[in-house]
Amino acid sequence: MLKVALVLSADDRQDSLFTKATVELGHRDTDVAASALDGFTRLEGIYRHCIIDAQRSGEISADADSHALAAYFVAVTRGMEVLATAGVGRAELTAIATTSLAALPLTDHTESA
């Protein structure tokens, strides 16, 4: 999450056509909406696998809903992208990133490490 904040706040960053198209056209163009949903689903799958790996290693509570957490992190990162495009700076993006990490239900194993 911190890397996302840093990349999004870099002076030479590339804006995502995916996010721009979704925001601008997703509500009225079914092809754009379908493509956006596919991208969301793929990104959510990547995050979900990371969360499941952390659950297996005992870092995140096994009771946590990996699907909901993955969807949450997709929403946060895409929201951070929109905010960065609007001019929100590195300090605020970093604060969003660190706050979002507090949503992870860490186990005692992680907290004592």
Side-chain angles (χ1 to χ4, degrees):
M1 293 302 293
L2 291 173
K3 185 174 182 178
V4 170
L6 295 175
V7 168
L8 291 175
S9 62
D11 290 334
D12 62 346
R13 77 179 183 88
Q14 298 279 16
D15 287 336
S16 168
L17 181 59
F18 174 79
T19 299
K20 284 183 175 188
T22 302
V23 170
E24 288 292 321
L25 302 171
H27 67 286
R28 62 178 182 224
D29 185 317
T30 57
D31 290 336
V32 170
S35 179
L37 183 58
D38 180 59
F40 168 82
T41 302
R42 284 186 283 131
L43 188 53
E44 181 185 38
I46 292 167
Y47 286 138
R48 190 172 55 252
H49 287 290
C50 292
I51 292 164
I52 290 169
D53 285 346
Q55 287 174 310
R56 287 182 182 144
S57 70
E59 297 174 65
I60 293 178
S61 171
D63 296 337
D65 184 340
S66 62
H67 179 79
L69 281 171
Y72 167 77
F73 281 105
V74 171
V76 170
T77 56
R78 297 309 85 196
M80 288 171 65
E81 183 178 356
V82 171
L83 291 172
T85 300
V88 170
R90 178 170 283 175
E92 191 164 354
L93 292 172
T94 300
I96 293 166
T98 56
T99 300
S100 71
L101 293 172
L104 290 171
L106 302 177
T107 63
D108 290 337
H109 168 72
T110 304
E111 293 169 354
S112 63

